[in-house]
Amino acid sequence: HFFPIAATTTTTTTLGGRVLWRPFLNNLFWNLNSFDSASCITGEVHDPGRSFPKGMFWGVILVILGYLLPLLVALGASDAPPENWVDGYMATVASDVVGPWLGFWVVLAAGISNLALFEAEMSSDAYQLLGMAERGYLPRIFAQRSRHGTPTYGILMGCLVIILLSVSDLDTLIEMLNFNYSL
């Protein structure tokens, strides 16, 4: 196997063949979060009434294809039992079926994707803080922009929160984020 450490996962959705519904549903809901975050930056887009719906449509299509197509190929190419499908197993399947080079590229692509998702979420959160500060709901310091127009203190606050929460395990973070998101 290309990545033996992948077998150590914290997010478990089955136990002895039974579905553990709370972590399963929490993970499903968590994977659907953030589509609404794009609305936080529509003020930065030229003609958002036209480009935003088109971007959301293509974004949903690309997300579906990006998840479904590789998963279907991996499921068809692998005869591994369900308990082998843990975090990072897609890279293992790619390495076993095509070769180590594809496993490397799957891991690299996942890393770049995670960085991009982090940046997008952090930007969205920073603009939310900016908008709340401009309306007087938060201290004015969050309304300050850098010379490039970015909400500097919102970005710094987001980084601070992420650093503080980085000591938590994934299951706890997912449950906490879903709870806060539902408020």
Side-chain angles (χ1 to χ4, degrees):
H1 291 262
F2 192 64
F3 299 99
I5 199 164
T8 59
T9 182
T10 58
T11 306
T12 306
T13 55
T14 61
L15 179 64
R18 292 185 44 231
V19 174
L20 301 176
W21 287 102
R22 191 179 85 198
F24 177 72
L25 293 174
N26 265 316
N27 277 291
L28 283 179
F29 184 72
W30 180 62
N31 282 312
L32 294 174
N33 283 347
S34 300
F35 274 100
D36 60 331
S37 295
S39 65
C40 297
I41 57 174
T42 55
E44 308 294 320
V45 176
H46 178 69
D47 193 15
R50 187 175 134 312
S51 58
F52 187 73
K54 188 186 299 185
M56 288 299 290
F57 172 78
W58 287 111
V60 169
I61 297 297
L62 288 173
V63 166
I64 290 170
L65 289 176
Y67 274 103
L68 192 60
L69 191 60
L71 184 60
L72 290 176
V73 170
L75 284 171
S78 173
D79 58 355
E83 56 269 6
N84 285 9
W85 284 84
V86 295
D87 296 344
Y89 193 69
M90 187 71 81
T92 302
V93 171
S95 294
D96 291 346
V97 173
V98 179
W101 67 270
L102 185 59
F104 170 78
W105 281 106
V106 167
V107 170
L108 183 67
I112 291 170
S113 174
N114 282 327
L115 285 173
L117 288 170
F118 170 75
E119 290 294 328
E121 182 67 29
M122 187 175 63
S123 297
S124 166
D125 294 344
Y127 277 103
Q128 286 178 354
L129 294 175
L130 174 95
M132 292 170 66
E134 287 177 344
R135 287 165 181 72
Y137 295 117
L138 289 177
R140 293 288 308 159
I141 193 168
F142 291 109
Q144 293 179 11
R145 293 177 182 245
S146 72
R147 62 185 172 104
H148 303 290
T150 57
T152 306
Y153 292 103
I155 292 172
L156 291 174
M157 177 61 83
C159 285
L160 177 66
V161 169
I162 288 166
I163 289 169
L164 292 174
L165 294 177
S166 66
V167 297
S168 300
D169 69 308
L170 183 61
D171 288 333
T172 304
L173 283 174
I174 289 173
E175 288 183 15
M176 182 187 62
L177 289 171
N178 284 344
F179 174 76
N180 289 333
Y181 197 80
S182 68
L183 294 178

